[in-house]
Amino acid sequence: MTSNSSSKKQAQDPPESSEPTLKSLRTKMTKSDEKKKLKDIEISVPLVYGNIAFWLGKKASEYQSHKWAVYVRGATNEDISVVIKKVVFQLHSSFNNPTRVIEEPPFEVSESGWGEFEIAITLHFHSDVCDKPLSLYHHLKLYPEDESGPLTMKKPVVVEHYDEIVFPDPSESFLARVQNHPALTFPRLPSGYNLPAPMQVDDNGKKKRGDTKDHSLGQWFTSFSEADELLQLAAARQQVQAHIAKLRRQISLLEGQNQTIKTGSDP
């Protein structure tokens, strides 16, 4: 926020965890137009939304302590403007022009301030994708979870969330336009079904702008992938198994002590 208050943080809502959530959501969208829809087919758009915040260090003041960016990006940092037409970010009312409309990628807003608050993020899709917008909500996070430690300029606070936007029964024009796009996930088409040839992207500059692989903040982006999730699940399973083995050893030790006490107490 930018309002003049002595508090460093807004205390209306509890802060979200700084840990990313892998595949936490799978949002299904619908399209009212029934013309030329492909039944029993789904197109999935994996995306990430969140924020990165940098503490200003010696340049920080009571009302300007951080620079931050809130954004929506492809989960693999590919261009998602083939699906998303524009993104509307609703900032706190204390900001100048709190409603920010971003009509081309990268879909992000950069600002500075001192307070944490909830940001409404509304996705608007191309007409052949979906005629209804989708609203997401993100709590801007500026401070690390461990607030007892010193602030640092070396590593920003990063809070990101993964979502899969699913479009069931897509239109033929939508599927033909975006088939083989690396940012989207497609099912196997029914046997014998042929789509028109993919449309060519003439504006290579626009396509490159939508690709966040070379984004200036890219080094801080969370990597969301099937492989990462499998590794995390395997590590969690190992921790659970180790904890179970430890509990079994403790139970065996207690049982042995009880048996010794019982034997010693027998006449």
Side-chain angles (χ1 to χ4, degrees):
M1 292 192 305
T2 60
S3 58
N4 294 333
S5 170
S6 60
S7 174
K8 286 285 185 180
K9 298 169 63 178
Q10 185 180 9
Q12 292 181 355
D13 298 311
E16 295 182 0
S17 171
S18 60
E19 292 298 320
T21 304
L22 291 176
K23 298 193 176 179
S24 58
L25 296 173
R26 197 168 189 266
T27 306
K28 273 200 172 185
M29 304 297 294
T30 58
K31 193 178 190 310
S32 59
D33 185 5
E34 295 293 330
K35 294 180 181 179
K36 293 185 178 181
K37 294 184 70 174
L38 304 176
K39 299 295 183 181
D40 302 321
I41 292 178
E42 290 184 344
I43 296 178
S44 176
V45 184
L47 57 80
V48 174
Y49 61 98
N51 80 266
I52 294 180
F54 294 86
W55 181 54
L56 295 177
K58 293 181 179 180
K59 296 182 180 180
S61 65
E62 185 176 4
Y63 306 121
Q64 297 289 328
S65 61
H66 290 77
K67 284 187 176 181
W68 52 264
V70 60
Y71 49 82
V72 177
R73 64 179 178 86
T76 57
N77 297 322
E78 302 285 355
D79 180 15
I80 54 175
S81 64
V82 292
V83 175
I84 297 176
K85 182 178 181 180
K86 67 179 179 181
V87 179
V88 180
F89 296 88
Q90 187 62 49
L91 307 184
H92 192 270
S93 59
S94 61
F95 284 89
N96 292 328
N97 184 26
T99 302
R100 308 291 176 88
V101 181
I102 310 300
E103 296 184 336
E104 63 179 25
F107 298 112
E108 65 181 47
V109 170
S110 297
E111 268 293 353
S112 61
W114 57 266
E116 300 178 346
F117 56 93
E118 185 176 69
I119 299 175
I121 305 171
T122 304
L123 311 181
H124 295 262
F125 306 100
H126 292 290
S127 58
D128 64 344
V129 177
C130 185
D131 50 10
K132 295 181 179 179
L134 173 65
S135 293
L136 307 171
Y137 297 90
H138 173 69
H139 192 95
L140 178 68
K141 185 73 174 171
L142 303 182
Y143 298 88
E145 287 298 310
D146 184 11
E147 297 182 12
S148 61
L151 293 174
T152 177
M153 297 178 63
K154 294 182 179 180
K155 186 177 180 181
V157 171
V158 181
V159 181
E160 296 189 323
H161 308 280
Y162 180 105
D163 199 346
E164 289 182 3
I165 312 301
V166 181
F167 299 93
D169 305 334
S171 67
E172 184 176 288
S173 63
F174 174 31
L175 184 55
R177 182 169 58 83
V178 300
Q179 62 177 310
N180 302 321
H181 194 285
L184 281 62
T185 303
F186 299 89
R188 180 176 296 177
L189 294 178
S191 178
Y193 188 89
N194 294 316
L195 281 173
M199 294 181 62
Q200 298 296 322
V201 178
D202 296 327
D203 188 353
N204 291 325
K206 182 177 180 181
K207 182 177 179 181
K208 187 175 182 180
R209 288 197 301 272
D211 192 329
T212 57
K213 289 185 179 297
D214 297 325
H215 195 285
S216 60
L217 301 176
Q219 62 175 315
W220 307 112
F221 288 160
T222 307
S223 176
F224 293 89
S225 69
E226 296 285 351
D228 292 333
E229 187 175 19
L230 290 174
L231 287 174
Q232 290 190 14
L233 289 174
R237 181 178 298 174
Q238 289 180 352
Q239 290 181 357
V240 171
Q241 291 175 343
H243 188 61
I244 291 174
K246 180 180 179 180
L247 291 176
R248 285 176 175 172
R249 289 194 298 270
Q250 291 176 344
I251 292 173
S252 297
L253 180 61
L254 291 174
E255 288 178 345
Q257 292 175 347
N258 289 338
Q259 185 64 33
T260 300
I261 294 173
K262 183 177 180 181
T263 303
S265 62
D266 290 339

